Amino acid sequence: MAEKPTTAWRIILGLWVPVWLFFLVWPLGKNPAVWKDWLALMRSDADGRRAAAYGDEFYSFLRFCKGKLPEGSTFRLVGIDYASIAKVRAFYFLYPCLVSENAEYILVYETPGYWEENTREFALLAPGSFILRSSQPGAK
C-alpha cells in the first residue's frame, strides 16, 4: 500500500509547479513571434519539421541526393564543414548509402565550380549543388 505524501512534499511540489510553468511560458511571452513559429512547427508534417531543423535549402539538397543515389552506394560530402552538425544530419538522412573517403559519388553543396579528376557530373540541382560520379571510386 502506498504512503500518503507528506506535507513537505506537497509544499515542494506546490512551489515547483508554478516555477516550472513560469520558465516554460516566459520565453514565449518575451518574444511573441516564437508562438507563430511553434504553431507552424506543430502543424507541419515530418518533411516540414525536418526542413525547419535542417534548413530549407540543405533539406532540399538532401532530398535531391536521396532520390538520385542508388541504395547502398558510397558518398563523400563537399562544401560542409567537417565538424558541422549538418554533416551528421546528412549521414543519417542518406542512410543506407554510406560515407567513404573513396566514394562512388561526391555530393557537392553550395560550392560552384568544384571539380575533381576522374569524375563526371551525375545530377545537377543548382549551379553550386550537384552530384559527381567517380570513374575510379578507389582513388581520391
Side-chain angles (χ1 to χ4, degrees), residues 1 3-4 7 47 49 52 60 63 74-75 88 135:
M1 195 191 278
E3 293 184 34
K4 289 185 177 180
T7 307
D47 279 338
R49 290 185 189 121
S60 295
R63 280 194 346 226
T74 58
F75 69 91
V88 177
S135 59

Side-chain angles (χ1 to χ4, degrees), residues 55-121:
D56 290 328
E57 289 178 16
F58 187 59
Y59 184 61
S60 295
F61 176 70
L62 290 178
R63 280 194 346 226
F64 163 75
C65 292
K66 182 117 177 154
K68 298 291 182 183
L69 292 176
E71 193 170 307
S73 60
T74 58
F75 69 91
R76 185 166 36 94
L77 284 168
V78 173
I80 299 171
D81 291 337
Y82 177 77
S84 171
I85 188 70
K87 193 167 236 177
V88 177
R89 288 177 173 157
F91 298 165
Y92 173 79
F93 187 81
L94 295 173
Y95 182 83
C97 296
L98 300 174
V99 180
S100 173
E101 281 298 314
N102 303 318
E104 299 170 72
Y105 298 92
I106 296 103
L107 313 180
V108 181
Y109 179 65
E110 294 186 349
T111 311
Y114 183 84
W115 198 257
E116 289 185 12
E117 286 186 31
N118 301 317
T119 61
R120 63 177 173 81
E121 188 176 289

